[in-house]
Amino acid sequence: MTRLRVAIVDDEEPARLVLREYLAEEPGVEIVAECANGFEAVKAVADLAPDLLILDVQMPKLDGFEVLELVGRETSVIFATAFDEFALRAFDVHAVDYLLKPFSKPRFQEALERARERLQAAPPSSPGADAPASARLSPAELAAAARPAGTRPSRIVIRDGADVHVVPIDRVDYVEAQDDYVGIHTGGTVLLKEQTLAALAATLDPRRFVRIHRSFVLNLDRLAKLENRGKETRTAVLRDGRQLPVSRTGYARLQELL
Amino acid sequence: MHPIFSDVSRLRTFILLWVPTGAAIGTLPFWRTGGPLDQAWVLVLWGEVLAMPALATWHVTRFVPIRAGRGRVLVTAAIVSLAAAGVWVGAGRLWTQVMAETAPQPAALFGSLAPDAFAAATLVCLLLSAVHYALNEADEGLAAARRVLEAQVAAREAELRALRAQVNPHFLFNCLHSISALTGVDPGAARRMALELAEFFRDSLRAGSQSRIPLADEVALVRRYLDIERVRFGDRLGITVTLQPGVEAVRVPPLLLQPLAENAVRHGISTLVNGGDVSIAIARNGHDVRVRVDNPFDADDRRPGTGVGLANVRSRLAASYGDRAHLCAGAEGNCFTVTLTLPCEEVQA
């Protein structure tokens, strides 16, 4: 049996305490990190590449869903929460393993065993085959399912190695598709996030963010004017002077909103 | 709505009583003279019609309720009754003249007998005014009782809501998890927390069953709540509670401040990696008591709260004090402040 390398993530000391206690009695398990918030968790994943995260849902800075969004492809996750009806529904819908606080040792061992089996069947970073639950599902979909109906995320989280950027939605100027990434333009800087433009656009408020082009989603607040350059060619001029191309369907979408 | 027409059984009783009364009033004065009664139907009809001005007196008397004073009520009732009787007698004169050809007797005798009819009609109108007043009083009594009942139900609901908030599942499960965690490494601490939690719920239930509790008790409850949260959050949660001497005995609705402390922890301290201080300051301010709750929060972390906690406190304030109490909430930089202003209600000796 290979050694299972585990990182514990919970902002409450007693909660970490019980995990430490339960894990200490498990053979073949090594606790590689104890994190008190989401940033530390992302850093621990980047630096130590644990096999498994035991992840609290409600934490300062980054919540459990945001951590999953940032590291979901590299590690397996077991969520732990006390009570959160939306999160529980999302876990059930997406068949994510979770622990309800307080949890017993047998229940914990069960979840650990399942995680071990998943990892042996297909480690998260290896492509194809029978992928584990945390890689099979889209973290964004899970996070969306865990939000109360009709609400949208108020920020975008982006990982840059061990660093995490948190960008409030209203500070986003526009988003640009770049192969498998999106470039998030905010106040003159660009942050790259591994996500498709369509997937990101789906999480944004369609009344504020418009897909003006195959490769661009624009924050309507930043639009200064539309320029007509010959037939069928239009350009969006932003408040800071930058120019973005507008496709025919993009123009139709803009007209609908303006 | 006219108190007799507003209720079917009252209307039925009135009609039953009125038909013979009206007939008697129209014909009685003429019986005394011994005139021929074969033309009396003209007078019976006239008598019945008195119901209209008599009932209409209500439209005037309702503007002078009983509480306006006995004198004004009596004068008003007398004036309207005289007026109604006068209108009726005038209408009777016209009516008997119109009918003079088919019934000459009533028309001929009308002049001499009208004063008696007028007196009788005035008396009937006065009686009916008394009935109006009695029915109005009964209706108002019922409405007042219903209002009192509705207020009681609203207060009860507010308390139940507060208690429901009290047994916040998130808080309860996290506490149980902490106890479960401490059991392994520090059984003494686990026991202390279990006892604290039990005391907290016991105090909450006891407080919730009362309409007002001393401010000192509410503050003790809040302290206990924060002490329990401190086990979970450790050094991340600092607590400063200052209660100005002299306000301890002020009566407040139970569990009014606890939701504010809970908000400060849930939406403030728990969003911060390094935590901070929840500061609660309570002081007298003129005729009011002012409660100020400050807590730091992560202004960049814009995960929205539900606002249920504050809305709950607001509606309880409104139910308990009407517009004599206020709640202000707002953020400045990284500090969230809630200020509560309540009228001083001291314990009655």
Side-chain angles (χ1 to χ4, degrees):
Chain A
M1 193 189 286
T2 50
R3 251 180 123 63
L4 187 68
R5 303 173 72 250
V6 181
I8 296 170
V9 188
D10 199 306
D11 63 321
E12 293 173 23
E13 167 72 27
R16 294 197 298 273
L17 214 64
V18 73
L19 285 173
R20 214 184 303 151
E21 186 194 320
Y22 285 171
L23 283 169
E25 296 158 32
E26 289 297 316
V29 170
E30 183 190 354
I31 300 175
V32 293
E34 271 190 44
C35 313
N37 61 65
F39 283 161
E40 286 180 23
V42 173
K43 191 171 183 329
V45 170
D47 295 347
L48 306 164
D51 302 314
L52 175 67
L53 279 187
I54 300 172
L55 191 55
D56 183 23
V57 171
Q58 295 189 320
M59 287 183 298
K61 296 290 181 196
L62 297 173
D63 67 25
F65 292 110
E66 288 168 326
V67 171
L68 178 71
E69 193 183 333
L70 294 172
V71 305
R73 279 165 221 273
E74 293 154 56
T75 180
S76 191
V77 167
I78 299 172
F79 277 106
T81 187
F83 181 87
D84 183 335
E85 50 177 324
F86 297 110
L88 296 188
R89 205 186 47 202
F91 295 152
D92 284 333
V93 167
H94 292 273
V96 175
D97 216 355
Y98 63 89
L99 291 165
L100 280 178
K101 297 175 182 177
F103 43 83
S104 67
K105 195 168 162 196
R107 175 68 189 86
F108 175 77
Q109 285 169 325
E110 210 177 287
L112 199 65
E113 204 42 53
R114 269 205 294 273
R116 237 197 259 268
E117 281 164 15
R118 281 202 308 263
L119 284 162
Q120 272 158 9
S125 46
S126 82
D130 194 14
S134 60
R136 192 168 59 229
L137 69 94
S138 140
E141 272 174 43
L142 178 68
R147 270 193 303 272
T151 59
R152 297 187 173 275
S154 58
R155 56 198 201 168
I156 300 176
V157 289
I158 301 145
R159 187 178 149 195
D160 178 7
D163 290 333
V164 175
H165 300 278
V166 178
V167 182
I169 292 287
D170 45 18
R171 277 188 221 155
V172 174
D173 300 331
Y174 65 95
V175 187
E176 182 181 5
Q178 295 181 351
D179 301 323
D180 293 338
Y181 290 83
V182 285
I184 294 160
H185 293 251
T186 161
T189 61
V190 191
L191 297 162
L192 284 182
K193 183 178 168 75
E194 197 180 346
Q195 193 174 24
T196 65
L197 189 60
L200 179 66
T203 67
L204 299 172
D205 182 354
R207 282 161 305 175
R208 294 178 57 202
F209 288 87
V210 190
R211 184 108 183 232
I212 55 165
H213 185 270
R214 193 164 43 85
S215 306
F216 293 98
V217 169
L218 173 67
N219 182 349
L220 270 188
D221 289 346
R222 303 297 192 272
L223 179 65
K225 60 179 173 181
L226 280 173
E227 276 179 4
N228 218 334
R229 305 229 168 121
K231 53 177 182 185
E232 305 285 306
T233 321
R234 288 187 178 84
T235 304
V237 181
L238 308 198
R239 289 187 198 284
D240 60 5
R242 271 179 297 185
Q243 301 188 348
L244 300 177
V246 179
S247 68
R248 196 146 33 114
T249 43
Y251 182 65
R253 286 195 198 107
L254 273 175
Q255 274 186 319
E256 227 168 85
L257 281 162
L258 295 173
Chain B
M1 183 88 184
H2 196 289
I4 286 175
F5 290 102
S6 66
D7 184 314
V8 179
S9 67
R10 286 177 186 174
L11 187 60
R12 200 180 300 137
T13 313
F14 176 77
I15 291 171
L16 275 176
L17 290 173
W18 183 261
V19 170
T21 310
I25 285 214
T27 52
L28 267 182
F30 292 85
W31 277 359
R32 250 185 25 194
T33 65
L37 287 177
D38 60 326
Q39 290 162 18
W41 61 271
V42 172
L43 301 168
V44 169
L45 272 183
W46 175 52
E48 297 300 344
V49 165
L50 174 60
M52 279 151 62
L55 286 171
T57 58
W58 172 76
H59 292 287
V60 179
T61 52
R62 77 194 176 108
F63 290 113
V64 186
I66 293 270
R67 63 176 178 276
R70 195 184 301 166
R72 282 187 61 188
V73 167
L74 283 177
V75 169
T76 312
I79 291 173
V80 248
S81 297
L82 286 167
V87 167
W88 176 66
V89 170
R93 181 176 293 280
L94 279 176
W95 167 246
T96 47
Q97 275 166 12
V98 166
M99 300 306 285
E101 273 188 27
T102 40
Q105 196 75 15
L109 288 171
F110 195 87
S112 62
L113 297 167
D116 283 355
F118 178 76
T122 308
L123 208 66
V124 166
C125 287
L126 275 172
L127 266 171
L128 207 55
S129 289
V131 170
H132 287 157
Y133 274 113
L135 292 178
N136 269 346
E137 283 304 294
D139 286 351
E140 265 176 35
L142 278 178
R146 196 170 53 227
R147 272 198 300 277
V148 168
L149 205 67
E150 276 168 4
Q152 277 171 351
V153 169
R156 197 81 207 122
E157 267 174 10
E159 250 139 49
L160 284 176
R161 264 205 309 275
L163 277 178
R164 169 74 182 72
Q166 203 69 18
V167 191
N168 174 345
H170 200 260
F171 168 66
L172 180 60
F173 288 127
N174 271 314
C175 283
L176 291 173
H177 191 57
S178 297
I179 292 172
S180 150
L182 290 169
T183 311
V185 286
D186 190 349
R191 175 176 295 160
R192 273 198 302 282
M193 183 154 183
L195 294 174
E196 286 266 9
L197 195 59
E199 284 296 315
F200 173 71
F201 278 108
R202 214 190 310 280
D203 288 353
S204 295
L205 288 168
R206 193 182 310 137
S209 68
Q210 291 167 290
S211 66
R212 293 282 197 275
I213 60 169
L215 196 46
D217 290 1
E218 175 74 14
V219 168
L221 199 75
V222 166
R223 277 212 176 101
R224 205 185 284 284
Y225 166 76
L226 289 172
D227 284 344
I228 293 169
E229 290 286 45
R230 227 182 109 81
V231 177
R232 285 173 54 199
F233 292 101
D235 291 339
R236 280 168 70 201
L237 174 59
I239 304 165
T240 317
V241 181
T242 49
L243 183 65
Q244 189 185 49
V247 296
E248 296 96 334
V250 171
R251 313 286 278 177
V252 295
L255 311 174
L256 188 69
L257 306 187
Q258 192 273 336
L260 300 179
E262 187 167 327
N263 267 357
V265 173
R266 280 185 75 184
H267 305 300
I269 304 307
S270 82
T271 66
L272 295 163
V273 171
N274 295 318
D277 270 15
V278 172
S279 145
I280 301 176
I282 305 171
R284 188 181 277 266
N285 182 33
H287 295 295
D288 294 329
V289 171
R290 179 166 292 178
V291 180
R292 187 186 157 119
V293 181
D294 291 288
N295 64 268
F297 74 110
D298 185 352
D300 291 331
D301 183 346
R302 287 183 225 182
R303 281 172 284 183
T306 55
V308 170
L310 282 183
N312 220 336
V313 174
R314 275 208 176 91
S315 71
R316 293 200 70 211
L317 280 182
S320 306
Y321 299 109
D323 56 5
R324 293 181 301 147
H326 313 278
L327 184 150
C328 295
E332 209 186 306
N334 288 323
C335 183
F336 194 84
T337 303
V338 177
T339 312
L340 204 62
T341 312
L342 312 167
C344 266
E345 286 178 2
E346 302 273 359
V347 59
Q348 267 129 38

mmCIF file of all heavy atoms in Angstrom, chain A residues 36-65:
data_model
loop_
_atom_site.group_PDB
_atom_site.id
_atom_site.type_symbol
_atom_site.label_atom_id
_atom_site.label_comp_id
_atom_site.label_asym_id
_atom_site.label_seq_id
_atom_site.Cartn_x
_atom_site.Cartn_y
_atom_site.Cartn_z
ATOM 1 N N ALA A 36 -4.841 26.692 7.799
ATOM 2 C CA ALA A 36 -5.921 27.357 8.525
ATOM 3 C C ALA A 36 -6.762 28.232 7.606
ATOM 4 O O ALA A 36 -7.708 28.860 8.051
ATOM 5 C CB ALA A 36 -5.352 28.194 9.667
ATOM 6 N N ASN A 37 -6.404 28.295 6.328
ATOM 7 C CA ASN A 37 -7.239 29.044 5.380
ATOM 8 C C ASN A 37 -6.959 28.583 3.955
ATOM 9 O O ASN A 37 -6.055 27.788 3.700
ATOM 10 C CB ASN A 37 -7.014 30.551 5.515
ATOM 11 C CG ASN A 37 -5.581 30.952 5.234
ATOM 12 O OD1 ASN A 37 -5.101 30.813 4.120
ATOM 13 N ND2 ASN A 37 -4.890 31.437 6.263
ATOM 14 N N GLY A 38 -7.751 29.091 3.041
ATOM 15 C CA GLY A 38 -7.684 28.655 1.658
ATOM 16 C C GLY A 38 -6.363 28.961 0.974
ATOM 17 O O GLY A 38 -5.858 28.151 0.195
ATOM 18 N N PHE A 39 -5.787 30.123 1.272
ATOM 19 C CA PHE A 39 -4.512 30.486 0.660
ATOM 20 C C PHE A 39 -3.438 29.457 1.024
ATOM 21 O O PHE A 39 -2.679 28.994 0.168
ATOM 22 C CB PHE A 39 -4.053 31.876 1.128
ATOM 23 C CG PHE A 39 -4.784 33.004 0.462
ATOM 24 C CD1 PHE A 39 -4.798 34.268 1.009
ATOM 25 C CD2 PHE A 39 -5.446 32.798 -0.744
ATOM 26 C CE1 PHE A 39 -5.459 35.307 0.386
ATOM 27 C CE2 PHE A 39 -6.117 33.826 -1.375
ATOM 28 C CZ PHE A 39 -6.130 35.087 -0.800
ATOM 29 N N GLU A 40 -3.399 29.124 2.325
ATOM 30 C CA GLU A 40 -2.401 28.139 2.763
ATOM 31 C C GLU A 40 -2.624 26.799 2.065
ATOM 32 O O GLU A 40 -1.679 26.097 1.725
ATOM 33 C CB GLU A 40 -2.497 27.942 4.288
ATOM 34 C CG GLU A 40 -1.922 29.100 5.082
ATOM 35 C CD GLU A 40 -2.039 28.878 6.598
ATOM 36 O OE1 GLU A 40 -2.141 27.706 7.030
ATOM 37 O OE2 GLU A 40 -2.057 29.874 7.317
ATOM 38 N N ALA A 41 -3.894 26.473 1.850
ATOM 39 C CA ALA A 41 -4.191 25.201 1.202
ATOM 40 C C ALA A 41 -3.662 25.177 -0.228
ATOM 41 O O ALA A 41 -3.038 24.204 -0.651
ATOM 42 C CB ALA A 41 -5.700 24.957 1.210
ATOM 43 N N VAL A 42 -3.891 26.258 -0.959
ATOM 44 C CA VAL A 42 -3.422 26.318 -2.344
ATOM 45 C C VAL A 42 -1.896 26.247 -2.383
ATOM 46 O O VAL A 42 -1.295 25.546 -3.204
ATOM 47 C CB VAL A 42 -3.925 27.606 -3.036
ATOM 48 C CG1 VAL A 42 -3.290 27.756 -4.410
ATOM 49 C CG2 VAL A 42 -5.443 27.577 -3.141
ATOM 50 N N LYS A 43 -1.269 26.948 -1.439
ATOM 51 C CA LYS A 43 0.193 26.937 -1.371
ATOM 52 C C LYS A 43 0.694 25.532 -1.053
ATOM 53 O O LYS A 43 1.648 25.052 -1.669
ATOM 54 C CB LYS A 43 0.647 27.920 -0.285
ATOM 55 C CG LYS A 43 2.140 28.188 -0.304
ATOM 56 C CD LYS A 43 2.486 29.325 0.638
ATOM 57 C CE LYS A 43 3.961 29.698 0.614
ATOM 58 N NZ LYS A 43 4.893 28.609 0.339
ATOM 59 N N ALA A 44 0.008 24.864 -0.110
ATOM 60 C CA ALA A 44 0.418 23.513 0.270
ATOM 61 C C ALA A 44 0.303 22.562 -0.916
ATOM 62 O O ALA A 44 1.171 21.710 -1.131
ATOM 63 C CB ALA A 44 -0.438 23.013 1.438
ATOM 64 N N VAL A 45 -0.751 22.718 -1.705
ATOM 65 C CA VAL A 45 -0.917 21.847 -2.870
ATOM 66 C C VAL A 45 0.201 22.103 -3.876
ATOM 67 O O VAL A 45 0.785 21.169 -4.437
ATOM 68 C CB VAL A 45 -2.307 22.058 -3.521
ATOM 69 C CG1 VAL A 45 -2.380 21.344 -4.860
ATOM 70 C CG2 VAL A 45 -3.401 21.561 -2.586
ATOM 71 N N ALA A 46 0.510 23.392 -4.073
ATOM 72 C CA ALA A 46 1.555 23.728 -5.039
ATOM 73 C C ALA A 46 2.918 23.222 -4.576
ATOM 74 O O ALA A 46 3.693 22.677 -5.361
ATOM 75 C CB ALA A 46 1.602 25.239 -5.240
ATOM 76 N N ASP A 47 3.205 23.380 -3.294
ATOM 77 C CA ASP A 47 4.541 23.040 -2.785
ATOM 78 C C ASP A 47 4.696 21.556 -2.481
ATOM 79 O O ASP A 47 5.764 20.978 -2.673
ATOM 80 C CB ASP A 47 4.838 23.832 -1.496
ATOM 81 C CG ASP A 47 4.919 25.329 -1.767
ATOM 82 O OD1 ASP A 47 4.987 25.693 -2.960
ATOM 83 O OD2 ASP A 47 4.903 26.113 -0.798
ATOM 84 N N LEU A 48 3.642 20.942 -1.954
ATOM 85 C CA LEU A 48 3.798 19.591 -1.408
ATOM 86 C C LEU A 48 3.059 18.520 -2.182
ATOM 87 O O LEU A 48 3.259 17.331 -1.939
ATOM 88 C CB LEU A 48 3.322 19.576 0.062
ATOM 89 C CG LEU A 48 3.994 20.622 0.963
ATOM 90 C CD1 LEU A 48 3.218 20.800 2.250
ATOM 91 C CD2 LEU A 48 5.438 20.210 1.254
ATOM 92 N N ALA A 49 2.159 18.931 -3.085
ATOM 93 C CA ALA A 49 1.388 18.001 -3.894
ATOM 94 C C ALA A 49 0.832 16.831 -3.078
ATOM 95 O O ALA A 49 1.186 15.667 -3.314
ATOM 96 C CB ALA A 49 2.249 17.475 -5.054
ATOM 97 N N PRO A 50 -0.029 17.098 -2.126
ATOM 98 C CA PRO A 50 -0.629 15.997 -1.353
ATOM 99 C C PRO A 50 -1.572 15.181 -2.232
ATOM 100 O O PRO A 50 -2.038 15.665 -3.265
ATOM 101 C CB PRO A 50 -1.409 16.723 -0.245
ATOM 102 C CG PRO A 50 -1.706 18.069 -0.800
ATOM 103 C CD PRO A 50 -0.582 18.411 -1.731
ATOM 104 N N ASP A 51 -1.849 13.935 -1.801
ATOM 105 C CA ASP A 51 -2.782 13.111 -2.559
ATOM 106 C C ASP A 51 -4.215 13.508 -2.261
ATOM 107 O O ASP A 51 -5.100 13.375 -3.095
ATOM 108 C CB ASP A 51 -2.610 11.633 -2.172
ATOM 109 C CG ASP A 51 -1.188 11.146 -2.404
ATOM 110 O OD1 ASP A 51 -0.655 11.446 -3.492
ATOM 111 O OD2 ASP A 51 -0.620 10.507 -1.495
ATOM 112 N N LEU A 52 -4.414 13.956 -1.012
ATOM 113 C CA LEU A 52 -5.785 14.172 -0.568
ATOM 114 C C LEU A 52 -5.878 15.435 0.291
ATOM 115 O O LEU A 52 -5.030 15.673 1.150
ATOM 116 C CB LEU A 52 -6.235 12.948 0.260
ATOM 117 C CG LEU A 52 -7.608 13.004 0.924
ATOM 118 C CD1 LEU A 52 -8.718 13.004 -0.119
ATOM 119 C CD2 LEU A 52 -7.784 11.827 1.877
ATOM 120 N N LEU A 53 -6.931 16.221 0.024
ATOM 121 C CA LEU A 53 -7.226 17.375 0.876
ATOM 122 C C LEU A 53 -8.487 17.063 1.668
ATOM 123 O O LEU A 53 -9.475 16.620 1.093
ATOM 124 C CB LEU A 53 -7.544 18.615 0.038
ATOM 125 C CG LEU A 53 -6.475 19.478 -0.575
ATOM 126 C CD1 LEU A 53 -7.136 20.713 -1.197
ATOM 127 C CD2 LEU A 53 -5.464 19.906 0.474
ATOM 128 N N ILE A 54 -8.424 17.300 2.975
ATOM 129 C CA ILE A 54 -9.663 17.261 3.748
ATOM 130 C C ILE A 54 -10.010 18.715 4.000
ATOM 131 O O ILE A 54 -9.277 19.440 4.675
ATOM 132 C CB ILE A 54 -9.498 16.459 5.051
ATOM 133 C CG1 ILE A 54 -9.098 15.026 4.677
ATOM 134 C CG2 ILE A 54 -10.808 16.455 5.841
ATOM 135 C CD1 ILE A 54 -8.722 14.180 5.871
ATOM 136 N N LEU A 55 -11.123 19.155 3.388
ATOM 137 C CA LEU A 55 -11.326 20.580 3.143
ATOM 138 C C LEU A 55 -12.607 21.081 3.814
ATOM 139 O O LEU A 55 -13.697 20.608 3.516
ATOM 140 C CB LEU A 55 -11.411 20.770 1.618
ATOM 141 C CG LEU A 55 -11.381 22.151 1.015
ATOM 142 C CD1 LEU A 55 -10.162 22.918 1.473
ATOM 143 C CD2 LEU A 55 -11.384 22.032 -0.506
ATOM 144 N N ASP A 56 -12.445 22.058 4.697
ATOM 145 C CA ASP A 56 -13.589 22.736 5.319
ATOM 146 C C ASP A 56 -14.253 23.606 4.250
ATOM 147 O O ASP A 56 -13.586 24.109 3.348
ATOM 148 C CB ASP A 56 -13.065 23.609 6.471
ATOM 149 C CG ASP A 56 -14.179 24.297 7.241
ATOM 150 O OD1 ASP A 56 -15.325 23.808 7.206
ATOM 151 O OD2 ASP A 56 -13.895 25.318 7.892
ATOM 152 N N VAL A 57 -15.570 23.790 4.332
ATOM 153 C CA VAL A 57 -16.251 24.607 3.323
ATOM 154 C C VAL A 57 -16.146 26.086 3.657
ATOM 155 O O VAL A 57 -15.806 26.913 2.823
ATOM 156 C CB VAL A 57 -17.731 24.187 3.170
ATOM 157 C CG1 VAL A 57 -18.469 25.178 2.277
ATOM 158 C CG2 VAL A 57 -17.821 22.786 2.596
ATOM 159 N N GLN A 58 -16.436 26.452 4.918
ATOM 160 C CA GLN A 58 -16.464 27.875 5.260
ATOM 161 C C GLN A 58 -15.170 28.312 5.927
ATOM 162 O O GLN A 58 -14.869 27.898 7.044
ATOM 163 C CB GLN A 58 -17.646 28.147 6.175
ATOM 164 C CG GLN A 58 -18.937 27.889 5.422
ATOM 165 C CD GLN A 58 -20.147 28.335 6.188
ATOM 166 O OE1 GLN A 58 -20.209 28.158 7.390
ATOM 167 N NE2 GLN A 58 -21.123 28.890 5.487
ATOM 168 N N MET A 59 -14.435 29.116 5.171
ATOM 169 C CA MET A 59 -13.135 29.584 5.675
ATOM 170 C C MET A 59 -12.929 31.022 5.244
ATOM 171 O O MET A 59 -13.532 31.482 4.277
ATOM 172 C CB MET A 59 -12.019 28.724 5.079
ATOM 173 C CG MET A 59 -11.932 27.324 5.642
ATOM 174 S SD MET A 59 -10.541 26.453 4.923
ATOM 175 C CE MET A 59 -10.969 26.435 3.203
ATOM 176 N N PRO A 60 -12.049 31.747 5.947
ATOM 177 C CA PRO A 60 -11.741 33.100 5.483
ATOM 178 C C PRO A 60 -10.941 33.069 4.185
ATOM 179 O O PRO A 60 -10.344 32.058 3.844
ATOM 180 C CB PRO A 60 -10.912 33.687 6.627
ATOM 181 C CG PRO A 60 -10.442 32.542 7.427
ATOM 182 C CD PRO A 60 -11.382 31.413 7.203
ATOM 183 N N LYS A 61 -10.950 34.187 3.482
ATOM 184 C CA LYS A 61 -10.194 34.382 2.226
ATOM 185 C C LYS A 61 -10.752 33.555 1.080
ATOM 186 O O LYS A 61 -11.337 34.089 0.161
ATOM 187 C CB LYS A 61 -8.700 34.085 2.405
ATOM 188 C CG LYS A 61 -8.011 35.019 3.371
ATOM 189 C CD LYS A 61 -7.903 36.411 2.803
ATOM 190 C CE LYS A 61 -7.199 37.343 3.762
ATOM 191 N NZ LYS A 61 -7.427 38.741 3.408
ATOM 192 N N LEU A 62 -10.515 32.256 1.116
ATOM 193 C CA LEU A 62 -11.054 31.393 0.072
ATOM 194 C C LEU A 62 -11.898 30.323 0.739
ATOM 195 O O LEU A 62 -11.460 29.719 1.711
ATOM 196 C CB LEU A 62 -9.928 30.693 -0.690
ATOM 197 C CG LEU A 62 -8.948 31.543 -1.469
ATOM 198 C CD1 LEU A 62 -7.823 30.666 -2.013
ATOM 199 C CD2 LEU A 62 -9.656 32.254 -2.609
ATOM 200 N N ASP A 63 -13.102 30.097 0.221
ATOM 201 C CA ASP A 63 -13.871 29.012 0.819
ATOM 202 C C ASP A 63 -13.489 27.691 0.153
ATOM 203 O O ASP A 63 -12.671 27.649 -0.778
ATOM 204 C CB ASP A 63 -15.373 29.294 0.761
ATOM 205 C CG ASP A 63 -15.915 29.305 -0.646
ATOM 206 O OD1 ASP A 63 -15.308 28.665 -1.540
ATOM 207 O OD2 ASP A 63 -16.954 29.952 -0.868
ATOM 208 N N GLY A 64 -14.040 26.609 0.639
ATOM 209 C CA GLY A 64 -13.674 25.281 0.149
ATOM 210 C C GLY A 64 -13.889 25.115 -1.344
ATOM 211 O O GLY A 64 -13.086 24.480 -2.031
ATOM 212 N N PHE A 65 -14.973 25.705 -1.842
ATOM 213 C CA PHE A 65 -15.263 25.563 -3.274
ATOM 214 C C PHE A 65 -14.228 26.285 -4.117
ATOM 215 O O PHE A 65 -13.828 25.817 -5.180
ATOM 216 C CB PHE A 65 -16.663 26.096 -3.586
ATOM 217 C CG PHE A 65 -17.736 25.249 -2.986
ATOM 218 C CD1 PHE A 65 -18.497 25.717 -1.934
ATOM 219 C CD2 PHE A 65 -17.963 23.969 -3.460
ATOM 220 C CE1 PHE A 65 -19.481 24.927 -1.374
ATOM 221 C CE2 PHE A 65 -18.937 23.173 -2.908
ATOM 222 C CZ PHE A 65 -19.705 23.645 -1.860
#
